[in-house]
Amino acid sequence: DLANRMAERAVDVIKFLMKQGQMLKATDVIDADMAQLIAEDMGHTVRRVADSDVEEGLFATAEADSELVRRPPVVTIMGHVDHGKTSLLDALRKTNVVSGEAGGITQHIGAYQVELNGEKITFIDTPGHAAFTAMRSRGAKSTDIVVLVVAADDGVMPQTIEAIHHARAAKVPVIVAINKIDKPDADPTRVRTELLQHEIFVESMGGETLDVEVSAKTGENLDKLLETILLQSEVMDLKADPRRVAEGSVIEAKLDKGRGPVATVLVQRGTLHPGDIIVAGSEWGRVRALLNDRGQTVSEAPPSMPVEVLGFQGAPDAGDRFAVVETEARAREIADYRARQKREKIVARQTTARGSLTEMMNQRQSSGLKEFALVIKGDVQGSVEAIAGALDALGTDEVRARIIHSGVGGVTESDVTLAAASNAAIIGFNVRANKQARDVSERDGIEIRYYNIIYDLVDDVKAAMSGLLTPER
Ligand code: GDP
């Protein structure tokens, strides 16, 4: 890369390094000082910029209160498999697609809006917490409210609990939708009671969590669910400034044969217009057209509106944040910078991915974190509880283990995305990670440690925690 940027041959750079006593390959990473030395020696002028300079001012910091106006809530539906997430998303969409424009066939673009009494609600159309947490792990808080679907004939199940943990880790309020109440064996009270054990206290149980009994099949109470979402969002007082330049998150993106790269974005601040120059992750483009969830061309996308954007040079990644910039040159600079960062990160991971828990804690030392976040998966509930208890006992005033999720079964992709978003390590006790989980953990550099003796596990965590208190540097 350095050779490339200087328009020199890579072999000359390597030769120079050799003279400095460094035997490196063209793909190895060198530090900034060394790069400066080489560049100057080869007759180039070096201007050092801080990382922060490149992205300076890209995203808004504070907004003046006077500019803020109400925006629709953005909702993600989560819950156990087969409890009716997809059915509910479909039913809500059919009963209440944003009215006004006639025609327009509903398109799956990754999110859609419905309207109730003139108020809009945005639903993210990919149920499940993998997408939710993947977005969060890139620093994009794109969900305001989680609707937790629990089937009234089945009750609280492992993925229900997982969803609660994901929502809690993201500090997003939960509304409980008790689904399938049309079924003869539906028992909504049992659901409410079971939720108590996971610290979800619904109103009728003396708590503050809103809950609605619904049927995705018959459509019963779907309006009430929408009303409840609007009620919750009113309490949250969700606002954004629609007049500034747009920024937000990428919900999904693909390469379309006919249309080229197509990205569905959720506008979170400002208003997006055709002609805007947009950067998302390491991709950029000039907005050629904006399409809504019915495939219709729109002339603007205000806060909380999901739109398909045509005009990207390449497809960004789901979860990437996007921003609008003034010039193509700036867009290119940011995109290049990020592409470079991405490559460096991959290389760095390849060299440090096999780090120990202690190293990981030392890395965190610099960010001042004194909490050791963990996701624990075990073969039986008893051992998971024993581990949680033992780790809890290790805590001191200065450092403690915080278990953000634990459960029975192998390590899944969802565990890894949760760990990534929360800067946590994963511990597998007498269980392994499945293929997807391993792939994601390698991609994101998340450590998974396996143990089959509790004592070893506790000992390692203890060592890592004391490493946190007495840094080597
Ligand atoms: P998901 O895995 O959470 O997305 O669940 P699905 O939406 O695929 O639903 C799982 C099954 O439950 C399907 O066979 C649905 O037809 C059924 N189902 C979903 N909602 C209801 C409901 O309110 N009542 C009844 N009786 N069945 C439902």
Side-chain angles (χ1 to χ4, degrees):
D1 278 348
L2 178 64
N4 209 339
R5 297 215 138 218
M6 298 190 297
E8 305 277 358
R9 296 187 313 161
V11 58
D12 292 334
V13 173
I14 289 174
K15 269 191 199 151
F16 180 92
L17 281 161
M18 257 189 225
K19 274 192 261 161
Q20 309 288 320
Q22 302 232 26
M23 310 299 279
L24 296 172
K25 297 189 301 294
T27 50
D28 285 337
V29 177
I30 56 173
D31 65 22
D33 290 337
M34 182 55 81
Q36 177 162 6
L37 206 65
I38 298 168
E40 280 168 357
D41 192 75
M42 291 183 153
H44 298 273
T45 316
V46 173
R47 182 172 60 96
R48 285 179 81 152
V49 292
D51 282 0
S52 51
D53 291 350
V54 180
E55 299 187 318
E56 172 87 34
L58 191 55
F59 295 107
T61 40
E63 289 165 298
D65 267 2
S66 57
E67 309 294 321
L68 297 179
V69 298
R70 220 358 119 64
R71 66 169 177 83
V74 179
V75 179
T76 296
I77 296 193
M78 297 206 232
H80 194 70
V81 63
D82 279 349
H83 279 197
K85 298 179 293 292
T86 315
S87 308
L88 200 57
L89 276 163
D90 288 348
L92 287 168
R93 175 171 195 154
K94 270 185 216 119
T95 51
N96 232 309
V97 177
V98 170
S99 54
E101 331 96 82
I105 300 154
T106 52
Q107 309 277 329
H108 174 92
I109 65 166
Y112 65 84
Q113 283 190 315
V114 301
E115 200 174 273
L116 185 75
N117 309 328
E119 289 196 76
K120 292 191 175 97
I121 301 172
T122 304
F123 284 95
I124 304 285
D125 201 2
T126 34
H129 36 240
F132 172 79
T133 300
M135 279 198 206
R136 193 165 73 80
S137 66
R138 310 230 178 123
K141 188 183 173 191
S142 39
T143 295
D144 300 307
I145 297 169
V146 164
V147 167
L148 179 66
V149 180
V150 190
D153 60 339
D154 203 22
V156 171
M157 298 302 279
Q159 285 166 278
T160 316
I161 300 166
E162 228 170 80
I164 293 170
H165 292 163
H166 278 256
R168 195 168 284 153
K171 300 192 174 72
V172 173
V174 166
I175 292 175
V176 180
I178 302 175
N179 191 31
K180 307 199 187 184
I181 49 156
D182 59 286
K183 286 196 146 187
D185 53 346
D187 187 353
T189 309
R190 185 182 124 210
V191 173
R192 294 190 185 92
T193 315
E194 286 174 349
L195 284 170
L196 291 178
Q197 287 170 27
H198 305 283
E199 286 162 57
I200 298 276
F201 305 105
V202 300
E203 279 187 308
S204 59
M205 297 275 176
E208 286 182 350
T209 302
L210 303 175
D211 65 310
V212 190
E213 293 181 11
V214 298
S215 167
K217 189 177 172 189
T218 65
E220 193 174 339
N221 276 349
L222 292 186
D223 274 8
K224 194 165 165 216
L225 177 59
L226 295 177
E227 274 165 29
T228 307
I229 291 167
L230 288 173
L231 192 71
Q232 176 75 45
S233 77
E234 214 163 285
V235 175
M236 296 168 76
D237 198 25
L238 303 167
K239 287 181 170 173
D241 175 3
R243 271 161 295 191
R244 62 185 308 284
V245 292
E247 61 182 61
S249 308
V250 176
I251 294 174
E252 58 181 49
K254 59 178 185 234
L255 266 173
D256 188 291
K257 268 200 194 112
R259 300 185 295 169
V262 180
T264 297
V265 305
L266 176 69
V267 177
Q268 292 174 292
R269 282 168 159 173
T271 299
L272 188 62
H273 299 97
D276 282 347
I277 299 163
I278 183 171
V279 196
S282 52
E283 297 296 340
W284 70 279
R286 187 183 279 274
V287 178
R288 203 166 69 229
L290 297 175
L291 303 171
N292 68 10
D293 52 12
R294 316 187 77 189
Q296 296 157 328
T297 308
V298 293
S299 58
E300 56 170 37
S304 293
M305 179 165 173
V307 274
E308 271 193 327
V309 175
L310 307 190
F312 271 105
Q313 307 271 325
D317 290 330
D320 278 343
R321 296 187 71 197
F322 81 80
V324 166
V325 296
E326 318 81 60
T327 62
E328 289 194 1
R330 176 131 165 80
R332 213 175 275 129
E333 183 190 18
I334 295 167
D336 279 356
Y337 164 73
R338 289 183 175 160
R340 207 157 63 236
Q341 261 193 332
K342 219 172 173 177
R343 282 198 302 275
E344 282 167 10
K345 242 182 172 167
I346 292 169
V347 175
R349 260 180 216 144
Q350 283 164 353
T351 46
T352 61
R354 303 279 161 260
S356 66
L357 284 175
T358 312
E359 268 168 41
M360 190 166 149
M361 291 319 292
N362 278 339
Q363 278 169 15
R364 263 184 231 162
Q365 175 72 25
S366 54
S367 57
L369 273 171
K370 296 273 177 178
E371 256 185 352
F372 196 173
L374 290 169
V375 170
I376 297 173
K377 296 303 283 284
D379 54 342
V380 290
Q381 188 60 32
S383 54
V384 172
E385 275 164 19
I387 292 165
L391 294 182
D392 214 34
L394 291 179
T396 68
D397 290 347
E398 287 163 276
V399 59
R400 67 185 184 97
R402 184 166 63 98
I403 297 160
I404 52 172
H405 175 60
S406 63
V408 173
V411 177
T412 64
E413 185 180 350
S414 147
D415 295 327
V416 180
T417 50
L418 177 62
S422 308
N423 201 14
I426 301 172
I427 287 176
F429 186 79
N430 280 336
V431 295
R432 309 297 295 178
N434 66 22
K435 168 114 177 51
Q436 287 110 311
R438 282 200 306 274
D439 289 350
V440 179
S441 74
E442 252 156 57
R443 192 194 67 204
D444 292 352
I446 300 303
E447 191 184 8
I448 307 177
R449 308 273 290 187
Y450 304 103
Y451 296 90
N452 40 34
I453 299 170
I454 293 188
Y455 175 81
D456 288 347
L457 188 168
V458 174
D459 230 35
D460 265 15
V461 174
K462 200 162 151 186
M465 283 185 6
S466 56
L468 184 66
L469 291 177
T470 49
E472 282 152 41
R473 278 162 286 152

